[in-house]
Amino acid sequence: MANVAALLVPSAGGRPPPTAAVEPAGSPPTALTPHQRLSFVACRADAREHELATQRGIAQRLATLMGCDFTEGDVAPDASYLPGALGYVVPNETITSLEAARRLGIRGEEDLFGGVVPAPFVASKIITHGLIRPDAAAPEGWSKCFGERVRDSVLPGYSVFSLDDAREAGARLLADGPVRLKLACGIGGSGQSVARDAAALQAQLEALPVDQVERHGLVLERNLADGVKTWSIGLLRLGTLVASYFGTQRNTLSRHGQEVYGGSTLTVVRGGFERLEQLALDSGDPEASRAVALARTYHQAACDCFEGFLASRANYDVVQGRDAAGRECAGVLEQSWRIGGASGAEVAALQALREDPRRETARASTVEAHGDLGPLPEGAVLYYRGVDEHVGPLTKYALLHTDES
């Protein structure tokens, strides 16, 4: 494994390696990548068709933006390929081993839109909190360093890998109010519940699949009850083009009346986290500045604490709100080092920055609309419109905003 790790160029805290030339503002557009081909890699076997259609569409637009040929058909993640055969890689899941990255020809951030981690658990929300005690159950490769580095950048909470540890962690947290339980393998809010007292905690723990808790882990953290706002903070590297963003998520109602993800609106700036922090400061919004600072701490800790980690697409969900006692709380909830729900907006903004080298910022949105939807706004890029067997009628599109919209 050490030889494989040597093949990967780790992220430098959100900055490209010193040898990489970042495309400066005001310069004529140059080739973003030496890769001649871009390949979409379907890593998630359980991805739904609307997800795959959207991800393929984003990969195709990335190929056009980078001047690459697009490989028709999905690439299998577990096959062996000749060196360089896939070119630039767009996986629909974080690559969860250094060996898998090597097989796909990924040697650094310049070779993919996404991320690479040394073990599967690193790609999940389970890393966000530390253990209940130093000798608690944890997977091989667990980083004590990471938990210590992000402790003040996340909500109060614990990560556990046994129900006994979960009971102890839950009891501690209940002393300060309701506790949210989140299975590490849950996606999009699934596998979550809130316990408001010891009886509810016990009942919810007993209902959990023991094998999933022991294999993937369970997060217990303080529940926010009022004024909740979720920020999307991101860092992007597309070849020589580096950008970062802050924005907010919004929810919508599914056909079953449940709140689900409805899209994001992002303000994207040319450059890394330093430029983003200045943009947030200039916006006059202290909440935006705080969210960017929390995400930057989390990102840098991942770079420093997980050997072989790299991410050319990094997105962090940062929540702000009040708990049941009215206390103001803020923290990173989880990370996404793969193509995601906000990627349509990311690509729209990157394209705007690419087409106008003098442009410093761009604002773009993604929309996921449930139910029947009329005509799309002018300039919208449609990624999916159809009827999903699980969620019903669904439309997904991205839109680059003008200064007036």
Side-chain angles (χ1 to χ4, degrees):
M1 186 63 74
N3 291 335
V4 175
L7 295 175
L8 302 179
V9 181
S11 168
R15 301 181 297 276
T19 55
V22 178
E23 187 175 87
S27 64
T30 57
L32 290 180
T33 178
H35 290 296
Q36 302 298 308
R37 176 170 298 280
L38 183 147
S39 300
F40 174 69
V41 182
C43 301
R44 274 187 58 203
D46 61 343
R48 295 174 181 170
E49 181 52 37
H50 71 84
E51 295 174 311
L52 289 171
T54 302
Q55 293 159 353
R56 291 189 195 104
I58 290 171
Q60 287 178 310
R61 291 187 68 84
L62 284 171
T64 300
L65 179 55
M66 300 180 78
C68 298
D69 294 330
F70 181 70
T71 301
E72 294 296 335
D74 300 346
V75 173
D78 53 356
S80 296
Y81 302 94
L82 293 175
L86 300 182
Y88 189 84
V89 175
V90 182
N92 69 343
E93 193 62 276
T94 307
I95 304 299
T96 56
S97 79
L98 306 185
E99 175 62 26
R102 184 195 64 79
R103 287 200 310 269
L104 295 171
I106 299 169
R107 295 173 178 267
E109 292 179 0
E110 67 277 7
D111 297 323
L112 87 161
F113 189 74
V116 176
V117 295
F121 76 86
V122 182
S124 77
K125 61 176 68 73
I126 199 66
I127 66 169
T128 297
H129 298 288
L131 303 175
I132 188 73
R133 56 184 181 280
D135 63 345
E140 183 178 354
W142 182 263
S143 173
K144 179 182 177 182
C145 157
F146 185 81
E148 293 174 345
R149 289 275 297 271
V150 304
R151 181 181 295 114
D152 295 331
S153 299
V154 301
L155 299 178
Y158 299 98
S159 290
V160 300
F161 294 88
S162 76
L163 290 183
D164 285 342
D165 287 348
R167 293 184 186 94
E168 182 179 348
R172 290 188 192 181
L173 292 168
L174 278 174
D176 288 315
V179 179
R180 181 171 292 272
L181 287 70
K182 303 191 294 188
L183 283 170
C185 52
I187 298 176
S190 65
Q192 298 192 20
S193 62
V194 176
R196 305 186 184 282
D197 54 39
L201 174 67
Q202 181 63 24
Q204 291 172 25
L205 289 177
E206 289 178 352
L208 292 177
V210 177
D211 60 329
Q212 286 193 26
V213 173
E214 293 178 347
R215 181 180 304 175
H216 302 292
L218 174 71
V219 169
L220 298 95
E221 66 187 11
R222 181 174 297 172
N223 184 60
L224 300 188
D226 187 37
V228 179
K229 183 176 185 178
T230 303
W231 291 86
S232 290
I233 310 297
L235 181 68
L236 307 167
R237 176 182 177 185
L238 193 65
T240 59
L241 178 59
V242 176
S244 50
Y245 62 79
F246 65 79
T248 53
Q249 299 179 15
R250 59 188 172 278
N251 290 336
T252 189
L253 293 179
S254 71
R255 63 173 174 170
H256 305 296
Q258 299 174 326
E259 279 202 351
V260 294
Y261 176 73
S264 302
T265 298
L266 312 177
T267 299
V268 183
V269 64
R270 191 186 297 272
F273 273 133
E274 290 183 3
R275 294 290 302 280
L276 185 64
E277 287 187 326
Q278 186 60 52
L279 180 68
L281 184 64
D282 292 343
S283 75
D285 187 342
E287 291 185 349
S289 295
R290 186 179 186 189
V292 172
L294 294 173
R296 186 178 186 181
T297 297
Y298 194 105
H299 180 83
Q300 189 61 56
C303 295
D304 294 343
C305 298
F306 295 110
E307 185 176 359
F309 166 83
L310 61 88
S312 63
R313 192 270 178 179
N315 175 280
Y316 301 95
D317 288 350
V318 181
V319 68
Q320 297 175 344
R322 290 181 292 275
D323 64 13
R327 292 168 294 208
E328 293 283 348
C329 300
V332 178
L333 291 179
E334 60 184 311
Q335 75 289 355
S336 174
W337 297 316
R338 58 171 177 79
I339 193 170
S343 290
E346 295 167 0
V347 173
L350 287 172
Q351 183 174 0
L353 296 177
R354 169 68 170 160
E355 291 177 350
D356 184 358
R358 297 168 299 178
R359 186 169 186 163
E360 289 292 330
T361 62
R363 195 165 65 92
S365 294
T366 55
V367 175
E368 297 191 10
H370 291 247
D372 295 327
L373 186 69
L376 301 185
E378 183 178 354
V381 176
L382 180 65
Y383 283 109
Y384 179 83
R385 173 171 267 173
V387 180
D388 180 82
E389 63 176 323
H390 297 282
V391 302
L394 179 65
T395 302
K396 301 166 75 171
Y397 66 89
L399 181 68
L400 179 71
H401 296 279
T402 64
D403 292 339
E404 294 80 24
S405 64

